[in-house]
Amino acid sequence: EEYYDVNVIGTLALAAEAVTAGVDKVVYSSSCAIYGTPRSIPIGEDARAAPMSPYGASKAAAERLLLDVLAPAGGRRVALRYFNAAGADPDGDTGERHDPETHLIPNAIRTALGLREHIDIYGTDFPTPDGTAIRDYIHVADLAAAHVAALGSLLDGGRGGVFNLGTGTGSSVRDVIAAVVAATGAPVEARPCPRRPVDPPELVADPTAFQEALGLRPEMSDLDTIVATALAWHRKEAGLPKD
């Protein structure tokens, strides 16, 4: 109910008010969750939408309703389908904090720093090289740059559209844990757990459309940089020394 309330009802109300106020250009934060379990990797924007979760279904609905509300008034929208947003501000001013924290990279880092006892690996029997799920991680700074580029395109008369925001490179859960161990020099206790029913084995973007349309490529989205910036943020948050 909460996903639909925010992502569908809330987006519909906001879009209607935008049209009333004469706002005809929208950049929408969507999600790769709308793809569900993809038929092929990497995933292009023309892949079948088959969300496996209420969150993904609500995002798909919001993409469509924005078109339906804005188009009659001559409006345009860009929907940016995030893959796995990660990392932190390189200057250390802002970072990722959830309560409770559910994301892999923060939890792996917090475990390495001694701020939690262990992390759970949800599934070690996926049809992937090491048995754990593979995801396409994109640095939050590259996401921010993509938003600026998408808005600039609309302001310059671009017709809008739907774009994947990812790198085209996948990292498994074990890859991420290894990167955190290498960055911190500390062990990360990881406990195997059963798969979650809505987790596909692999989600990796084909980022070609966005890169060609807007001439923008990720600059900070290699896994080591993502982990390094997130680590600096979590050390600062915990009052720990930088090294």
Side-chain angles (χ1 to χ4, degrees), residues 189-202:
E189 182 179 350
R191 298 181 182 177
C193 295
R195 295 191 204 180
R196 295 175 294 196
V198 298
D199 284 345
E202 188 171 2

Side-chain angles (χ1 to χ4, degrees), residues 6-228:
V6 173
N7 293 334
V8 180
I9 297 172
T11 301
L12 177 60
L14 182 62
E17 290 299 319
V19 170
T20 299
V23 176
D24 61 356
K25 302 173 187 67
V26 173
V27 177
Y28 181 65
S29 297
S30 190
S31 170
C32 68
I34 73 166
Y35 295 118
T37 299
R39 294 176 176 175
S40 62
I41 298 292
I43 307 165
E45 288 84 354
D46 58 352
R48 178 177 63 105
M52 298 171 62
S53 66
Y55 174 75
S58 69
K59 284 292 190 179
E63 282 190 14
R64 174 57 191 259
L65 76 84
L66 280 170
L67 278 181
D68 291 343
V69 173
L70 293 172
R76 292 162 290 136
R77 67 98 173 94
V78 170
L80 300 176
R81 293 175 178 170
Y82 295 8
F83 279 65
N84 281 54
D89 172 22
D91 294 329
D93 294 331
T94 54
E96 187 174 11
R97 183 199 300 135
H98 305 101
D99 186 17
E101 183 59 71
T102 60
H103 290 181
L104 172 62
I105 292 176
N107 279 338
I109 288 173
R110 290 175 59 80
T111 303
L113 295 179
L115 301 176
R116 57 180 291 149
E117 292 183 358
H118 71 278
I119 63 169
D120 296 323
I121 300 180
Y122 292 100
T124 57
D125 59 347
F126 286 101
T128 60
D130 66 15
T132 64
I134 292 173
R135 296 293 181 264
D136 186 338
Y137 293 90
I138 183 166
H139 196 285
V140 65
D142 288 325
L143 281 179
H147 278 259
V148 174
L151 181 57
S153 174
L154 290 176
L155 292 172
D156 289 340
R159 62 184 179 85
V162 174
F163 297 106
N164 289 333
L165 288 189
T167 66
T169 300
S171 299
S172 73
V173 173
R174 295 194 191 281
D175 289 336
V176 170
I177 293 171
V180 171
V181 170
T184 61
V188 173
E189 182 179 350
R191 298 181 182 177
C193 295
R195 295 191 204 180
R196 295 175 294 196
V198 298
D199 284 345
E202 188 171 2
L203 290 173
V204 177
D206 179 350
T208 305
F210 183 83
Q211 293 176 1
E212 290 183 350
L214 299 177
L216 190 69
R217 295 179 180 272
E219 296 183 355
M220 300 188 64
S221 292
D222 62 280
L223 186 58
D224 289 341
T225 299
I226 287 173
V227 168

